[in-house]
Amino acid sequence: HVQLVESGGGSVQAGGSLRLSCGVSRFPFGRYCMGWFRQAPGKQRERVASIDSDGDIVYIDSVKGRFAISLDRAKITLHLQMNNLQPSDTATYYCAAEGGSQQYCSGGHCCANPSYWGQGTQVTVS
């Protein structure tokens, strides 16, 4: 079982920055993908950014140029640097991970369908 624990959320004014971190107990077996999702009240959860075992990174359009995902493989810690935050970024942010065979993870399946989730951390931008 993979355990994930987020930290770093908080409240900031528009234009401010926050850095989220996610401690991961171990890498998922095989190929893997780790990412950040968010869910605002009354809205569907969306994948904000992800990074896979090849180092390929994907962002949703609304955060491109403002957010940066990174993975410290030595410490197995996932980060999300969020700059120029906007009120529309207000949400609970979740760290997530999935792993499996190359076939299972192909086509972005592991990035889009994580099995392991953190408890979430609140980000509020005013």
PDB file of all heavy atoms in Angstrom, residues 16 18 44 53 56 58 67 74 87 118:
ATOM      1  N   GLY A  16      -0.190  35.684  -5.057  1.00  0.00           N
ATOM      2  CA  GLY A  16       0.766  35.069  -4.147  1.00  0.00           C
ATOM      3  C   GLY A  16       1.174  33.673  -4.585  1.00  0.00           C
ATOM      4  O   GLY A  16       0.743  33.166  -5.624  1.00  0.00           O
ATOM      5  N   LEU A  18       2.304  29.513  -3.234  1.00  0.00           N
ATOM      6  CA  LEU A  18       2.334  28.444  -2.243  1.00  0.00           C
ATOM      7  C   LEU A  18       3.083  27.263  -2.836  1.00  0.00           C
ATOM      8  O   LEU A  18       3.089  27.080  -4.060  1.00  0.00           O
ATOM      9  CB  LEU A  18       0.921  27.992  -1.852  1.00  0.00           C
ATOM     10  CG  LEU A  18       0.095  28.870  -0.917  1.00  0.00           C
ATOM     11  CD1 LEU A  18      -1.316  28.328  -0.803  1.00  0.00           C
ATOM     12  CD2 LEU A  18       0.747  28.972   0.457  1.00  0.00           C
ATOM     13  N   GLN A  44     -16.388  19.397 -10.199  1.00  0.00           N
ATOM     14  CA  GLN A  44     -15.772  18.084 -10.336  1.00  0.00           C
ATOM     15  C   GLN A  44     -14.282  18.170 -10.030  1.00  0.00           C
ATOM     16  O   GLN A  44     -13.640  19.200 -10.242  1.00  0.00           O
ATOM     17  CB  GLN A  44     -15.983  17.557 -11.758  1.00  0.00           C
ATOM     18  CG  GLN A  44     -17.392  17.086 -12.052  1.00  0.00           C
ATOM     19  CD  GLN A  44     -17.494  16.339 -13.367  1.00  0.00           C
ATOM     20  OE1 GLN A  44     -16.765  16.629 -14.302  1.00  0.00           O
ATOM     21  NE2 GLN A  44     -18.389  15.370 -13.440  1.00  0.00           N
ATOM     22  N   SER A  53       6.842   7.988 -14.572  1.00  0.00           N
ATOM     23  CA  SER A  53       8.144   7.394 -14.317  1.00  0.00           C
ATOM     24  C   SER A  53       9.159   7.696 -15.417  1.00  0.00           C
ATOM     25  O   SER A  53      10.351   7.506 -15.211  1.00  0.00           O
ATOM     26  CB  SER A  53       8.009   5.884 -14.113  1.00  0.00           C
ATOM     27  OG  SER A  53       7.170   5.300 -15.084  1.00  0.00           O
ATOM     28  N   ASP A  56       7.755  12.478 -17.843  1.00  0.00           N
ATOM     29  CA  ASP A  56       6.840  13.272 -18.663  1.00  0.00           C
ATOM     30  C   ASP A  56       5.858  14.012 -17.759  1.00  0.00           C
ATOM     31  O   ASP A  56       5.275  13.421 -16.848  1.00  0.00           O
ATOM     32  CB  ASP A  56       6.081  12.383 -19.640  1.00  0.00           C
ATOM     33  CG  ASP A  56       7.002  11.793 -20.696  1.00  0.00           C
ATOM     34  OD1 ASP A  56       8.032  12.435 -21.015  1.00  0.00           O
ATOM     35  OD2 ASP A  56       6.708  10.697 -21.201  1.00  0.00           O
ATOM     36  N   VAL A  58       2.503  16.738 -17.420  1.00  0.00           N
ATOM     37  CA  VAL A  58       1.307  17.293 -18.060  1.00  0.00           C
ATOM     38  C   VAL A  58       0.637  18.267 -17.097  1.00  0.00           C
ATOM     39  O   VAL A  58       0.540  17.984 -15.898  1.00  0.00           O
ATOM     40  CB  VAL A  58       0.316  16.172 -18.442  1.00  0.00           C
ATOM     41  CG1 VAL A  58      -0.960  16.763 -19.021  1.00  0.00           C
ATOM     42  CG2 VAL A  58       0.948  15.208 -19.447  1.00  0.00           C
ATOM     43  N   PHE A  67       2.143  27.056 -12.454  1.00  0.00           N
ATOM     44  CA  PHE A  67       2.415  25.936 -11.545  1.00  0.00           C
ATOM     45  C   PHE A  67       3.550  25.086 -12.092  1.00  0.00           C
ATOM     46  O   PHE A  67       3.733  24.981 -13.312  1.00  0.00           O
ATOM     47  CB  PHE A  67       1.180  25.053 -11.406  1.00  0.00           C
ATOM     48  CG  PHE A  67       0.031  25.654 -10.646  1.00  0.00           C
ATOM     49  CD1 PHE A  67      -0.022  27.004 -10.342  1.00  0.00           C
ATOM     50  CD2 PHE A  67      -1.021  24.841 -10.230  1.00  0.00           C
ATOM     51  CE1 PHE A  67      -1.087  27.541  -9.650  1.00  0.00           C
ATOM     52  CE2 PHE A  67      -2.101  25.359  -9.536  1.00  0.00           C
ATOM     53  CZ  PHE A  67      -2.132  26.725  -9.252  1.00  0.00           C
ATOM     54  N   ALA A  74      14.813  10.863  -4.607  1.00  0.00           N
ATOM     55  CA  ALA A  74      15.593  10.378  -3.467  1.00  0.00           C
ATOM     56  C   ALA A  74      14.753  10.390  -2.187  1.00  0.00           C
ATOM     57  O   ALA A  74      14.822   9.472  -1.369  1.00  0.00           O
ATOM     58  CB  ALA A  74      16.840  11.223  -3.288  1.00  0.00           C
ATOM     59  N   PRO A  87      -8.094  33.501  -7.425  1.00  0.00           N
ATOM     60  CA  PRO A  87      -9.235  32.952  -6.675  1.00  0.00           C
ATOM     61  C   PRO A  87      -9.786  31.665  -7.288  1.00  0.00           C
ATOM     62  O   PRO A  87     -10.276  30.793  -6.557  1.00  0.00           O
ATOM     63  CB  PRO A  87     -10.249  34.096  -6.727  1.00  0.00           C
ATOM     64  CG  PRO A  87      -9.397  35.329  -6.780  1.00  0.00           C
ATOM     65  CD  PRO A  87      -8.233  34.954  -7.652  1.00  0.00           C
ATOM     66  N   GLY A 118      -3.867  11.090  -1.065  1.00  0.00           N
ATOM     67  CA  GLY A 118      -3.621  11.732   0.214  1.00  0.00           C
ATOM     68  C   GLY A 118      -4.920  12.258   0.787  1.00  0.00           C
ATOM     69  O   GLY A 118      -5.989  12.130   0.186  1.00  0.00           O
TER      70      GLY A 118
END
